[in-house]
Amino acid sequence: MFNQTNIFNTNYFICKFVNNFIFIIQIQINMKSIDAGAYSIYFNELCYVELNSFLERSNFSKIFILVDTNTHNHCLPNFLANVSYSSELEIIEMEAGEFNKNIDTCTQVWHTLSELGADRKSLLINLGGGVVTDLGGFVASTFRRGISFINVPTSLLAMVDASVGGKTGVDLGSLKNQVGTIIFPVMVLIDTLFLKSISKSEIRSGLAEMLKHGLIKDAEYWRRLCGLKSLNLCDLDHLIHESVVIKNDVVKQDPNEHGERKQLNFGHTLGHAIESYFLSSENKTTLLHGEAIAVGMVLEAYLSNKTCGLTNEELSQIKKAFINLYGLIKFNNKDKNSIIELLIYDKKNSHGVIKFALIECIGKSKIDVIVNEDMIYEAFSYYDS
Ligand code: GLY
């Protein structure tokens, strides 16, 4: 298993020394596009070929690009350099961070769209991490009862999860993703060169979703991720592609999350409650989504061991992998009580019953598992031990 310091090394580039000049060559793999049914997911150079051809034939009245403060500086110049368009184009900027993923920010973006003359034939391009793609998708799906949008994820988490599958939405106070829609973008463009500008902790955050894909669907993929000593762009390109294939296969079977799609929530029932609790607690540092669901996956692996037949050996393998990569977070009794109270807001619940998506073994999941509260406290004790 790779550790925290070498997870993201500088193999992004090959440096060549020729006549005392250094040539930096960016290595990027061209990967097959993925058919998501209602839309397609394109990778790397092909993103711009497909986007430019789509813009040329679509005749949008105006194009809007939603960025946050970070992607405005670090991603937008490169994106614009690759895009050709004839419609008028406007940039809308929101503040970065989960804290701003709320209805107030949506209201500001709706107003800005309106003031800048957006109509039903306008296009919104969401250029950013999960906050921008979730919020931008929601804004687009509701403005004038819905305008077209494209997701251009710039963080690993958004590439392998948030931008794909049509979930859009915002938080309600500190409660995650309580308000939203399921609606598909017209395309998703995954250019892995954007990962150059993000931090190691954000890479780790995205990696948690990739590890989840292995745990619920593909034991061999999980083993491969765990066996990596470091990540370079070539590895990452293929791994991102594999994760998107896994997620897309699940979503295609059940886009509206009546059954099959619930398995993508492994680690998220407790993970979201932990993330919300840390977001609302003044004396806690905010956790990145992947850091919270990493804890959630260890806790829910314990529940899987008690209720679904996950072996002791696989349980300890999962715990070891996540603790090595994400470290151990301390929870006191008050924290545990508050987190467990928050479980009632989980979107998978119905009729007041909390339902978990768990795993029977690495690579095979089981949905709608009812677990009692005592077992959740035991799961925290196992995590701490
Ligand atoms: N992030 C889980 C899903 O898209 O269903």
Side-chain angles (χ1 to χ4, degrees), residues 11 18 78-79 106 141 145 152 166 185 228 230 266 272 282 322 329 369 380:
N11 286 356
V18 182
N78 188 57
F79 181 72
C106 292
S141 74
R145 297 212 173 87
V152 187
L228 287 171
S230 65
F266 175 63
H272 271 158
E282 276 173 15
F322 283 112
I329 293 173
V369 184
F380 274 104

Side-chain angles (χ1 to χ4, degrees), residues 61-64 90 92 109-124 139 143-144 147:
S61 57
K62 263 195 174 183
I63 301 170
F64 295 86
E90 303 274 4
I92 303 178
V109 181
W110 284 317
H111 273 301
T112 310
L113 283 169
S114 199
E115 281 154 18
L116 293 174
D119 62 23
R120 296 196 69 191
K121 291 279 171 224
S122 297
L123 170 73
L124 182 65
V139 164
F143 184 78
R144 302 272 172 98
I147 61 170

